[in-house]
Amino acid sequence: MTKYIIPIFLFLFLPNLSAQTSNDIIKRNSVYVEFLGSSPMYYNLTYDRLILGKDKMRFSAALGVQYIFDLEADGALNSDFSMSPQFNFLFGSKHYFELGIGAA
């Protein structure tokens, strides 16, 4: 009898539980690391922000940063830093067609 108390309690007092919701929440910010991608260096740390989104068309802007250093044979530290801005156009509802332009 005691093994039925918890399921009966949950059934009676928690009727509004649901596993999933039908509302799709769009994330406006994303941060990601890209290896051997669009950057002129080996990796790229990028922040992407959804600027405008209406119906099936969305626009986003991104800024990627790269920093690489190299220790020369004579002990000198050689470093390089760059930033790569990007602008993207996305079209779709669940899966997106993405078209972008950027500078490296």
Side-chain angles (χ1 to χ4, degrees), residues 21-103:
T21 61
S22 62
N23 297 340
D24 292 334
I25 298 173
I26 297 173
K27 309 270 191 220
R28 298 188 70 82
N29 301 308
S30 61
V31 176
Y32 56 91
V33 177
E34 186 177 49
F35 291 100
L36 299 175
S38 63
S39 116
M41 297 184 193
Y42 298 117
Y43 71 95
N44 187 4
L45 176 65
T46 304
Y47 169 74
D48 196 344
R49 169 81 176 170
L50 182 64
I51 297 173
L52 178 65
K54 289 203 175 205
D55 298 329
K56 292 186 174 188
M57 294 190 315
R58 303 187 193 293
F59 293 95
S60 71
L63 181 65
V65 294
Q66 306 88 29
Y67 179 77
I68 192 165
F69 63 92
D70 185 23
L71 188 59
E72 298 292 328
D74 61 355
L77 182 63
N78 195 8
S79 64
D80 194 15
F81 175 79
S82 71
M83 296 187 336
S84 57
Q86 302 169 8
F87 295 98
N88 302 313
F89 168 73
L90 294 93
F91 181 78
S93 57
K94 185 175 180 181
H95 300 283
Y96 293 99
F97 171 74
E98 182 175 353
L99 185 65
I101 188 168

